[in-house]
Amino acid sequence: MEKKSRVEKRDGFFGDFGGSIVPPELADVLEELKEAFYEIKDNPDFKEELAYLFKDYVGKPSPLYFAESLTKEAGGAKIYLKREDLNHTGAHKINNCIGQALLARKMGKKRIIAETGAGQHGVATATACALFDMDCIIYMGEVDTKRQALNVFRMELLGAEVKPVTAGDGTLKDAVDEALKDFVQNADDTFYMLGSAVGPDPYPTMVKEFQSVIGKEAKSQILEKEGKLPDYIIACVGGGSNAIGLFAPFIEDKEVNILGIEPGGTGDKPGQNAAPLTYGKPGELHGFKSYVLYEDGDVISHTHSIAAGLDYPGVGPEHSFLKDSGRAKYTTASDQEALDAFHLLSEKEGIIPALESAHAIAGGMKVAADLDKDQVVIINLSGRGDKDVAQIKELHENGKLK
Ligand SMILES: Cc1ncc(COP(=O)(O)O)c(C=O)c1O
């Protein structure tokens, strides 16, 4: 985002992170969005409609499944999978889109724009737009349109226009850049349906609100099944929406360990991974303060992850706060570890995970192995792997898989 003429606000901070640093045109629109969000969020009619759509359209609550074979394989704690992959459209992204679409309708906005990496948020946005009869434009990095071609076609089938972004690396950061430009130019009639817990205030708070259904469900399900809270909750972290959605309802439960898994890619050098909480430093990106990956001093780093949805140099501000405060820990799973976990879950449990979620499985298996048999781990299975099957097939055919 342009450095000159920006309005900086102190609202929406998590410790030192978050806030809103945007051009003046956007500052007013974000203020309007924030007012509408806070007005609607506790409104009984809104809550009732959201609950109805979650149940009858999305298919919630998603099951909390005891993964017995995976548990045996790890040889330690009991592993439960929060099955967000079973939601309509195949990932957690739909939770947020239904919430934001209801808000857009309340604000009278009929032109919806969004960015997407893996295409899951694009598909969820296009789905919500079809449901609510709204125009839908999706910005997607050109590299991602190729590795997630199936999702591009799904979005088109749902009536969305997909705009490939050739700038930069042609990945998620570049798609966000383009979506923000569009938002600045067309703010009057356009609603930007941001797909992760990133961006200027109020997005991180709003996305958390809609995604925290994951943690609320998981908490009551584990209490019912095990009669106690879990020892660990684990999720992959791209922008951080599925993770914060699982984590939020457990933050005050100090006995629950919280672990986020970032994409370790192929190594620890700039350009080899997309893990700002592990390899980055505090900085600024896309209108908010958070941990960011840099190279050569102050240049935002190129990133790499085998999972398009994790391929982003920043992270949601609340994760930066949770890291610095010590309440949550963050570590990485490499491309290879994610691929191994992808195959493991497919073969042992008959569940083909999204490559993003496979990072959480990889990290969760390591944690479970070191715990006792009476301990409990919940891993968020944020999405299903259909979208990744062609990419995996190509890797096999090119001999790039072990
Ligand atoms: C299945 C799945 N999981 C996780 C992510 C990462 O996003 P977030 O960190 O916001 O949950 C994505 C992003 O596209 C995704 O498609």
Side-chain angles (χ1 to χ4, degrees), residues 91-93 118 120 196 236-242 309-310 354 356-357 382-383:
H92 66 295
K93 298 285 182 186
Q120 284 304 115
S196 191
C236 68
V237 181
S241 70
N242 86 94
L310 303 179
E356 291 77 13
S357 324
S382 53

Side-chain angles (χ1 to χ4, degrees), residues 204-397:
T205 304
M206 191 160 74
V207 174
K208 174 173 72 168
E209 172 78 19
F210 297 136
Q211 289 294 4
S212 62
V213 63
I214 302 173
K216 284 182 199 154
E217 287 176 5
K219 198 172 190 175
S220 73
Q221 288 166 323
I222 201 71
L223 286 172
E224 200 185 310
K225 286 174 193 286
E226 292 286 337
K228 63 174 185 177
L229 291 175
D231 295 280
Y232 268 87
I233 52 173
I234 299 170
C236 68
V237 181
S241 70
N242 86 94
I244 204 68
L246 175 66
F247 298 169
F250 291 96
I251 288 174
E252 299 305 319
D253 301 310
K254 301 290 182 224
E255 69 271 39
V256 177
N257 294 287
I258 299 179
L259 182 66
I261 311 291
E262 293 196 293
T266 56
D268 58 5
K269 306 272 174 314
Q272 294 183 331
N273 60 73
L277 294 165
T278 309
Y279 302 117
K281 59 178 184 182
E284 190 194 310
L285 176 69
H286 292 143
F288 68 105
K289 291 183 201 281
S290 198
Y291 273 81
V292 178
L293 283 168
Y294 289 99
E295 57 188 80
D296 300 331
D298 276 349
V299 181
I300 305 277
S301 180
H302 294 277
T303 52
H304 161 79
S305 170
I306 193 163
L310 303 179
D311 205 349
Y312 182 66
V315 64
E318 195 165 359
H319 290 292
S320 294
F321 171 65
L322 290 173
K323 170 192 157 78
D324 278 10
S325 67
R327 179 62 190 96
K329 299 266 182 288
Y330 296 86
T331 184
T332 58
S334 68
D335 283 357
Q336 189 60 54
E337 287 171 326
L339 279 168
D340 292 345
F342 177 92
H343 287 289
L344 183 74
L345 194 68
S346 305
E347 286 163 23
K348 293 281 167 198
E349 295 286 354
I351 300 171
I352 300 177
L355 276 173
E356 291 77 13
S357 324
H359 286 73
I361 301 291
M365 288 296 284
K366 282 191 199 162
V367 168
D370 287 339
L371 297 176
D372 294 332
K373 290 200 179 338
D374 61 348
Q375 291 185 289
V376 170
V377 168
I378 296 178
I379 305 174
N380 196 26
L381 193 60
S382 53
R384 66 177 189 230
D386 309 33
K387 69 184 179 56
D388 298 313
V389 168
Q391 188 188 346
I392 300 280
K393 183 165 174 273
E394 204 180 305
L395 287 170
H396 271 290
E397 284 165 0

